[in-house]
Amino acid sequence: RAIEEIKDGDIINLGQGIPTDIIPLLKSDSNLKNIHFTLESGVSGGIPLAVPDFGISYEPESMIRPDDMFMLFNGGGLDVAFLGFAQVDKTGNVNVSKFGNNFVGCGGFIDIAQNTKKLIFCGGFNAKGLKVELENSSLVIASEGDIRKFINNVNQITYNPRFTSNKNQIMKIITERCVLEYKNGELELTEIMHGINIDTQILSLIEFNVNVSKDLKIMKIK
């Protein structure tokens, strides 16, 4: 579903976690050309790799100093950034840096999130124990996650959509079962996966009220 947010010629940044799963899927998508990946380390092009370490790429096109790459990020040079998320609250604040006793820090997240034209947060709807299966194009929740990620107040604000430098920025959250979009200071449910019950498997698991789009769509998958 996340790939649907990309168009030919886009300059892209991929965060750690689920966003790296986009890479092998792009290899089989013949409709997308001239996609340019960037990494905080200064690497451009090629195929970003999560192993053996974040920040490297297979067959890169170029490499510049990391601080010069961050000039691109801060200057609004990114078209799309795919980022992970740990928590989201009712006003669209996102936490990726501190949850429970786990403090991982923000890294380059703040620089990337501030000026990118389109932010796509990718991750599981819940955490710890979530298991899903795809049966005949319908999503089945085999085991629900024990930790809720959509909560009233995040443990730490790493991204605040109200204070982004790009006031025309698009922000969406894509999970395995639904898509939410930040609109007018609130989150709106815009898409749902086939086979998911909107009340018991989405709305009841969110600690705050979300708007449900009048034009609610079924998520597209390839």
Side-chain angles (χ1 to χ4, degrees), residues 2-3 5-6 12-16 19 22 80-84 120 122:
I3 293 176
E5 301 293 334
I6 305 175
I12 300 169
N13 179 269
L14 294 175
Q16 297 187 48
I22 292 171
V80 189
F82 296 95
L83 305 168
I120 307 297
C122 304

Side-chain angles (χ1 to χ4, degrees), residues 45-66:
I47 302 173
L49 303 174
V51 177
D53 197 10
F54 180 79
I56 62 175
S57 180
Y58 178 71
E59 294 186 341
E61 298 169 357
S62 66
M63 179 179 290
I64 60 177
R65 292 177 12 160

Side-chain angles (χ1 to χ4, degrees), residues 129-132 140-145 177:
L130 175 65
K131 295 181 181 180
V132 300
V140 176
I141 308 297
S143 175
E144 193 60 85
R177 69 188 72 181

